[in-house]
Amino acid sequence: MAFSINTNVASLQSQEYLRLSSDFQQKTINRVTSGLRIINSGDDAAGLAIANGFRSDRAVIGQGIRNANDGLSTLQTIDGGLNNISQLLDRARTLAAQSASGTFTGDRTVLDSEFQSVLEEIDRQSQSIGLNTGGAFAKNLNVFIGGGRGATNAETISNGSVAVNLSASAVDSRSLNLKGLQVTGASATDVDEILADTTNTASQSVSGYTDFFFRGAGFSDDDRIRVAVNLTGVDDANELVAAINGAIESAGAGGTGAATAFKNAGITASVVTNSDGTDKIVFKSSTSAFQVAAGDRLANAVLGNVATGTQTGQSLDYVVQGATSAVALGTAGSDFLAAGNVIVRLQGGSLAAPADITLAVTTSTTTTQALSSLSSLVANNSSLVAAGISVTASSTGAAVAFTSKRGEQFEVLAVGDTRNSLGLGSAQFTAGTSSTSFDVSSITSAAIAVSTSSGTTATLGFSVGGGAYVTGSFTQGTAASVTTLVSDLNTFFAGNSSLQRAGLVATTAAGGAISISSNNGSYIRVNQSTYGGGGNIGFGTIAGTTGIAAASTTSATTSAVANSGGAYSSGLLAFSRYFSGADDQTVTLSLKDSSGNQQSLAINLQADATATRGRSIDEALDYINDQIQASSSDDLKKLIAVKERDESNSGQEHIVFLSPSLDFKVSVGGSAGATGLFAGTGTSQGAVVTSSLLSGGANVGISSQGDAEAAVNALAAAVANLGKAQAVIGRGQNQFNYAVNLASTQLTNLAASESRIRDADLAAEAANLTRAQILQQAGIAALSQANSAPQAVLSLLRG
């Protein structure tokens, strides 16, 4: 055995063991004093991760229990409100039963006054507890509690949540079918005079029948429902109401999808007593927003639109009248310059798409013959007949007149009438052709005849999308080439914003002609109205013809439609039809559905070679409503777009959106040409319009025995519906109680699991502490001996 004084190995080993014993003692003291087994991550990294997960789950479930208790408290509050509403329904039913008795001799208006106050209190209390239509809690309530498991995060959240669906549990008077949507018409006492008025009866399209037109979700535009009411034997308001309801039933049995939608809307006519004691004829529905329009003056009078001081319905005539041609008419061979087609287009007036009337003319066709053919074709066009549009064109030299008997605005355009013999304009087809299409994006002139005099000057008009003509003066000189005229035209196009937006471009064409086309699919018409100098620049009519002037319009009505009160409405939104291919616009409808989820629908409107969705307000409405019905949201499908006159703006037709029960928003996008839909009655685009509730909804009443009998039945159904809502609330309370019980058990078990991992075993740690103390004492003693060992070497050195 070697002896060393430089390295004391025994001391070093003793120090290391003493360090380990000291660390062990320190860790044991920490565990005993903290009560935790895991003090630092290094103590048990895997166990700490698991314990932290348990602790996080405990925090979530602890808050989840509070969430469930909050939800339980909310449902208990709602339950108390429902009990109050139940008592209110009992009182309303008592009043209705009293008024329904044939032996009641008191004043039913007194009973009805209290009855209406009860309905108002039901509405107030339902709003207070958040179960009114669109209320804070009238939706699918998801309360997150935690503790769920799943393969995905979505499944974990779903399995850890309790859902109480109150979307069908609204208990206001509308949801209980005690209030609906209503159009209020004429006074019942005036019906006999309305029926006897000869002006009213003379306006009927079929003698003995008066027509109403209904529009609603699924039955609008060209699918609107005509209700023809047989007036045989009808002498008073009650008989009229019975006849109207019979006609409504027949229309709903039509077998088409629109007829079925109309039937499901549940629209009925009745006589009701207003708060002022007057009896009114009303149309009402408990579930659907709708619009009713008059088809003749008698129907207009029933809707309450009468001339001052009379019971004569306001006139519904809307007339479009052409100009009287400037050429000598009536001479065979002079009225039409060449054989071909003259196309007369009518658009608007409830036509979902333009109606084109094609007249085949020859050089021997006279204006009289053309007008006779026009009258016959219009009279036999099913779309025009359905729209109530007719034409008067009886004599040569007199202006042709188109009339809508429904008061709806429309316009008349023409192309191919080179000499403007019909007085509707002299826009041209491509030279040498006879088109069968009104809509073209390119027109080619005839060969340009260069003048031998100082020059040929012509006035050309350019119409984009059937709009007003933009005119300019152009000269073709004796020595100039066609290229010069093309350059002049392109300079003119570039200087006009509307023509530039339409993408008009002039180019040279074969045979010394020019071509004018749109590079974005805009539909165009070209008209040459005047020229001088002895030549022609290719789009010519005869000298002196002025065919650019638009047809004139007159309107004899101020109102012919009524929207259902009690609906949510966007208000009047101005509309001007789309013209160029650059005028695309997006309109977005959005609402929160009955489950509280945000729903939206973007509708793209345009009118060019790509798609025709807005050449008139009626075409735009047809497309909008088709898109609404194609939506995947049942709540969006309940919306409808209709048109209505703005009497403060010369009676212009505007668009109105209606919803039966949910408020909504209309986001109006911009268009390059500032055309299309506007946010309000001005010219604002790029804005959002929020709907508001229309006044005038229908209430169940008991002011007559018949109304009271109907009210008894309605209240019985309301009590049943309230019971269903109470059942949902009760089920929800039980769900929350069960969920709290489970969550409490999970919370206890998670705490136990975490404790087994994180907490120290104090019995074991006490033993470890004693062990550590003994080891430390022994280590110190051993280290003292190890440190003194080298001194023994000195005894060897002494000798």
Side-chain angles (χ1 to χ4, degrees):
M1 176 177 175
F3 292 92
S4 172
I5 62 173
N6 287 327
T7 302
N8 190 340
V9 175
S11 175
L12 293 175
Q13 289 175 336
S14 297
Q15 291 176 45
E16 175 63 18
Y17 288 129
L18 182 60
R19 182 187 67 79
L20 292 175
S21 298
S22 179
D23 288 347
F24 178 66
Q25 182 185 40
Q26 184 65 40
K27 183 178 293 186
T28 302
I29 291 172
N30 287 340
R31 287 175 175 175
V32 170
T33 56
S34 68
L36 298 174
R37 184 180 70 86
I38 302 174
I39 306 298
N40 301 308
S41 298
D43 294 341
D44 184 355
L48 180 62
I50 295 171
N52 285 344
F54 287 153
R55 185 177 63 189
S56 179
D57 288 344
R58 286 176 59 200
V60 170
I61 292 177
Q63 180 59 50
I65 291 174
R66 289 190 290 274
N67 291 347
N69 284 325
D70 290 344
L72 183 59
S73 297
T74 299
L75 292 186
Q76 288 170 343
T77 301
I78 293 174
D79 194 23
L82 294 181
N83 288 332
N84 288 340
I85 292 174
S86 179
Q87 295 175 21
L88 289 168
L89 287 177
D90 291 345
R91 179 55 183 165
R93 203 172 183 193
T94 299
L95 293 169
Q98 184 179 7
S99 181
S101 173
T103 59
F104 178 74
T105 58
D107 189 349
R108 284 188 171 88
T109 59
V110 175
L111 295 180
D112 188 59
S113 177
E114 182 182 354
F115 184 88
Q116 298 303 326
S117 68
V118 169
L119 296 185
E120 291 175 3
E121 182 60 17
I122 289 174
D123 286 339
R124 190 192 70 80
Q125 293 202 15
S126 66
Q127 191 276 334
S128 296
I129 62 175
L131 282 186
N132 57 315
T133 300
F137 299 123
K139 58 185 179 182
N140 189 18
L141 301 177
N142 279 299
V143 178
F144 181 70
I145 296 175
R149 295 290 183 267
T152 63
N153 290 336
E155 287 183 5
T156 300
I157 295 297
S158 177
N159 293 333
S161 300
V162 172
V164 180
N165 191 355
L166 301 179
S167 58
S169 298
V171 292
D172 58 335
S173 58
R174 174 176 291 185
S175 300
L176 295 175
N177 293 328
L178 302 177
K179 179 183 290 185
L181 303 105
Q182 177 174 290
V183 169
T184 302
S187 172
T189 58
D190 296 330
V191 169
D192 56 342
E193 295 182 45
I194 292 173
L195 295 171
D197 189 288
T198 56
T199 302
N200 289 340
T201 55
S203 69
Q204 297 167 351
S205 58
V206 177
S207 180
Y209 287 81
T210 187
D211 292 337
F212 295 92
F213 290 87
F214 289 86
R215 294 174 173 86
F219 54 98
S220 59
D221 314 306
D222 55 339
D223 289 325
R224 63 196 178 278
I225 297 298
R226 174 177 175 254
V227 173
V229 182
N230 187 346
L231 299 177
T232 302
V234 174
D235 297 314
D236 58 29
N238 290 324
E239 291 174 346
L240 176 60
V241 164
I244 292 174
N245 286 328
I248 288 175
E249 184 177 356
S250 296
T256 64
T260 300
F262 176 63
K263 178 181 179 179
N264 293 338
I267 300 172
T268 59
S270 62
V271 177
V272 300
T273 303
N274 283 346
S275 56
D276 60 2
T278 60
D279 290 339
K280 294 283 188 178
I281 291 179
V282 300
F283 299 88
K284 56 186 177 181
S285 167
S286 60
T287 59
S288 299
F290 64 96
Q291 181 188 73
V292 58
D296 51 54
R297 297 181 72 164
L298 193 150
N300 211 19
V302 172
L303 292 179
N305 302 318
V306 295
T308 303
T310 73
Q311 296 305 325
T312 303
Q314 291 178 348
S315 174
L316 298 177
D317 289 353
Y318 183 88
V319 180
V320 176
Q321 183 169 296
T324 302
S325 178
V327 300
L329 302 176
T331 304
S334 65
D335 292 352
F336 297 94
L337 294 180
N341 291 330
V342 175
I343 302 177
V344 177
R345 165 166 289 184
L346 294 89
Q347 59 187 21
S350 283
L351 293 168
D356 290 343
I357 304 298
T358 302
L359 305 176
V361 299
T362 67
T363 55
S364 62
T365 302
T366 66
T367 302
T368 299
Q369 292 170 333
L371 292 175
S372 176
S373 178
L374 176 64
S375 297
S376 176
L377 290 171
V378 168
N380 289 282
N381 185 286
S382 59
S383 296
L384 294 176
V385 171
I389 296 175
S390 60
V391 63
T392 303
S394 57
S395 60
T396 301
V400 61
F402 296 83
T403 303
S404 166
K405 290 294 185 180
R406 313 244 175 88
E408 297 185 71
Q409 297 173 12
F410 66 99
E411 61 181 339
V412 182
L413 308 171
V415 65
D417 183 8
T418 311
R419 300 184 65 184
N420 196 24
S421 296
L422 302 179
L424 300 173
S426 56
Q428 302 299 297
F429 294 120
T430 289
T433 68
S434 183
S435 177
T436 58
S437 174
F438 186 95
D439 297 317
V440 295
S441 297
S442 179
I443 298 175
T444 301
S445 73
I448 297 174
V450 178
S451 173
T452 57
S453 60
S454 60
T456 299
T457 301
T459 299
L460 293 183
F462 307 93
S463 169
V464 178
Y469 283 96
V470 178
T471 60
S473 181
F474 302 91
T475 300
Q476 178 65 33
T478 57
S481 66
V482 173
T483 304
T484 302
L485 180 56
V486 168
S487 176
D488 291 344
L489 284 167
N490 285 326
T491 300
F492 179 73
F493 297 156
N496 183 275
S497 59
S498 63
L499 301 182
Q500 187 180 42
R501 192 165 52 250
L504 292 195
V505 177
T507 57
T508 57
I514 60 174
S515 177
I516 297 174
S517 60
S518 166
N519 59 20
N520 61 17
S522 299
Y523 294 132
I524 59 174
R525 293 183 298 164
V526 180
N527 179 301
Q528 179 175 319
S529 59
T530 59
Y531 59 85
N536 194 325
I537 65 172
F539 295 100
T541 69
I542 65 170
T545 296
T546 56
I548 289 179
S552 61
T553 62
T554 58
S555 176
T557 188
T558 57
S559 182
V561 302
N563 297 328
S564 54
Y568 286 92
S569 169
S570 65
L572 295 172
L573 306 180
F575 180 86
S576 68
R577 61 190 178 88
Y578 302 95
F579 294 106
S580 75
D583 286 346
D584 296 7
Q585 183 184 33
T586 299
V587 177
T588 304
L589 303 174
S590 60
L591 53 74
K592 282 189 176 181
D593 64 18
S594 54
S595 297
N597 300 316
Q598 188 71 29
Q599 302 288 345
S600 63
L601 174 66
I603 301 172
N604 299 314
L605 298 170
Q606 61 191 103
D608 51 44
T610 303
T612 51
R613 303 169 180 169
R615 290 171 291 182
S616 68
I617 189 172
D618 295 278
E619 188 174 65
L621 284 171
D622 183 68
Y623 183 74
I624 289 171
N625 284 316
D626 283 349
Q627 293 302 296
I628 289 174
Q629 290 304 305
S631 167
S632 60
S633 167
D634 289 338
D635 290 295
L636 278 172
K637 286 181 178 179
K638 295 177 182 178
L639 268 65
I640 178 180
V642 296
K643 62 182 180 181
E644 183 179 341
R645 290 170 57 92
D646 180 7
E647 299 305 336
S648 66
N649 187 22
S650 304
Q652 289 298 308
E653 290 179 338
H654 295 342
I655 288 177
V656 178
F657 290 90
L658 300 173
S659 168
S661 58
L662 297 175
D663 58 345
F664 61 93
K665 294 182 179 180
V666 183
S667 177
V668 181
S671 67
T675 58
L677 198 65
F678 298 91
T681 58
T683 58
S684 173
Q685 292 183 326
V688 177
V689 177
T690 301
S691 65
S692 59
L693 188 64
L694 293 176
S695 61
N699 278 358
V700 170
I702 58 172
S703 57
S704 68
Q705 183 178 353
D707 287 345
E709 290 171 350
V712 170
N713 293 328
L715 286 164
V719 170
N721 289 333
L722 181 67
K724 293 177 182 178
Q726 288 177 305
V728 174
I729 296 297
R731 183 170 66 247
Q733 293 181 65
N734 291 335
Q735 283 181 273
F736 283 135
N737 281 323
Y738 297 145
V740 169
N741 292 340
L742 175 61
S744 297
T745 301
Q746 289 177 307
L747 194 61
T748 300
N749 292 332
L750 284 171
S753 299
E754 182 188 1
S755 175
R756 281 189 287 270
I757 296 173
R758 192 188 298 275
D759 291 347
D761 183 346
L762 291 183
E765 297 304 329
N768 288 337
L769 181 59
T770 301
R771 175 182 167 219
Q773 289 173 339
I774 294 171
L775 287 173
Q776 189 175 38
Q777 291 172 6
I780 292 172
L783 178 61
S784 176
Q785 291 294 322
N787 287 340
S788 63
Q791 294 180 359
V793 179
L794 294 177
S795 63
L796 296 175
L797 296 176
R798 291 191 193 106

